[in-house]
Amino acid sequence: VVVTLEPHDHHGRTPPCTEALIAAGVGRVAISRLDPNPEVSGAGVARLRRAGIEVVTDVAPEVGTTVDPGYFHWWGTGLPRVILKTASTLDGQTAAADGTSRWITSEEARQDAHRLRSEVDAVMVGSGTVLSDDPHLDVRLPGYEGHQPRPVLVLGERRLPLGLAVLAREPIVVAPRPAGYHDEIVAPGRRGVDLKSALRALGERGVFDVLVEGGATLAGALWEAGLVSEGVTYIAAAFAGGLGRSMFDRTFSTLSDLRRIDITDVSTVGPDVRIAWRVRETDS
Ligand SMILES: NC(=O)c1ccc[n+]([C@@H]2O[C@H](COP(=O)([O-])OP(=O)(O)OC[C@H]3O[C@@H](n4cnc5c(N)ncnc54)[C@H](OP(=O)(O)O)[C@@H]3O)[C@@H](O)[C@H]2O)c1
């Protein structure tokens, strides 16, 4: 078993891991990345060794990235890993012109998307999606009792009416000015919220993996700002047969705007196709 030694206990996502490992009776710890601060990493390693635990410190960095990609993304960039989840028709429509989008994909695809939610710290949507869909943004799978992601709502000018389902789930509200919610991040930007500083503030709260579930306005703004790291796109076995809402509420002006991705996995879920992808760090 490979365990990542997380010395940053001050951000509150996990308790100090050295003590947890000692209490769990672990015999051997393999560390893939040490904190650059030798005082932190050295103290952790020494504490484990004093407790009689064998410590290996030369595991390849990629191993750590695989075990906890969001944390290492945050460590390297100061920003959470943003995963864009979209459900579209085969001709690329994510909602009809009248805003209806439930449901474009199959029950199986939606269940798979719930599993994605179970793997992240937070699920983010814009106010347009909250107002039109009234989503819960929680994991609802048969028999599931595990971790629930925190809802993150990106607001602009419009207010949310009381009684929306997600408001009962203690959301983190991101807004360009104080909006009066219990837990809010104020991040004024040129148009609505400054998404980069909002993400940085989420990272400081220990939110390292953010699953963005729409809509096209928020997705377009995150994409344009280069803040999306990877994504999962569900393509329904269906055609819209015309233009409704696309994945990104943006114009594709010229071919040089095209950004290449690496497809990391392709599978079928029920009648639909699921494509996992990652944005290329260097565009080529
Ligand atoms: N098929 C799918 O995968 C999928 C997923 C989710 C949603 N949908 C559909 O998408 C539609 C809603 O999408 P939408 O594009 O209207 O809304 P949205 O992207 O959910 O929300 C956009 C709103 O967020 C606020 N905002 C604040 N700062 C922002 C920033 N920097 N960048 C972008 N937005 C910012 C603005 O609110 P103000 O306008 O108040 O200023 C903006 O209008 C619905 O029809 C829903 O059913 C489809």
Side-chain angles (χ1 to χ4, degrees):
V1 176
V2 179
V3 179
T4 47
L5 179 63
E6 180 162 1
H8 294 274
D9 55 294
H10 57 266
H11 58 60
R13 187 164 81 145
T14 56
C17 71
T18 43
E19 299 310 319
L21 288 168
I22 293 163
V26 168
R28 184 166 184 248
V29 170
I31 302 174
S32 87
R33 295 198 196 193
L34 285 168
D35 192 292
N37 177 353
E39 269 182 43
V40 175
S41 57
V45 171
R47 175 84 189 89
L48 292 174
R49 287 192 171 132
R50 270 204 310 281
I53 296 176
E54 184 190 344
V55 183
V56 182
T57 57
D58 58 357
V59 180
E62 301 76 56
V63 176
T65 309
T66 311
V67 173
D68 196 349
Y71 173 69
F72 285 107
H73 187 277
W74 170 80
W75 198 16
T77 63
L79 297 168
R81 179 173 69 129
V82 173
I83 307 151
L84 181 63
K85 183 230 117 181
T86 337
S88 79
T89 62
L90 192 48
D91 48 344
Q93 305 303 299
T94 57
D98 67 358
T100 50
S101 67
R102 293 180 156 190
W103 300 104
I104 286 175
T105 43
S106 62
E107 172 69 28
E108 291 93 329
R110 298 201 308 277
Q111 288 230 349
D112 190 82
H114 277 257
R115 276 191 288 280
L116 279 184
R117 287 182 180 171
S118 74
E119 292 166 7
V120 295
D121 298 320
V123 176
M124 176 187 275
V125 292
S127 60
T129 299
V130 182
L131 288 166
S132 77
D133 297 353
D134 190 15
H136 289 75
L137 305 179
D138 58 351
V139 183
R140 294 188 304 282
L141 291 169
Y144 182 81
E145 289 177 1
H147 156 80
Q148 288 289 347
R150 206 63 201 282
V152 177
L153 313 179
V154 179
L155 304 192
E157 296 306 315
R158 288 172 288 179
R159 299 292 78 161
L160 300 180
L162 297 172
L164 288 170
V166 75
L167 296 179
R169 296 203 50 236
E170 297 177 18
I172 300 175
V173 172
V174 184
R177 65 189 73 85
Y181 290 93
H182 174 68
D183 198 355
E184 61 185 20
I185 291 171
V186 178
R190 269 194 305 126
R191 265 176 303 169
V193 157
D194 182 283
L195 294 167
K196 191 168 185 178
S197 46
L199 286 169
R200 188 171 293 115
L202 285 170
E204 283 161 8
R205 288 162 181 240
V207 174
F208 301 134
D209 292 283
V210 178
L211 185 68
V212 175
E213 296 204 15
T217 310
L218 179 63
L222 287 164
W223 183 259
E224 191 172 88
L227 294 168
V228 176
S229 314
E230 55 194 83
V232 175
T233 305
Y234 297 94
I235 300 182
F239 281 101
L243 294 181
R245 304 287 308 271
S246 64
M247 281 188 200
F248 304 107
D249 194 5
R250 288 286 186 282
T251 304
F252 176 34
S253 317
T254 181
L255 193 67
S256 60
D257 289 349
L258 196 109
R259 228 176 288 159
R260 301 278 172 197
I261 54 166
D262 288 315
I263 306 273
T264 51
D265 187 61
V266 180
S267 59
T268 50
V269 271
D272 305 328
V273 178
R274 176 194 198 273
I275 301 177
W277 48 268
R278 187 174 301 129
V279 172
R280 283 193 192 162
E281 280 178 23
T282 49
D283 212 358
S284 57

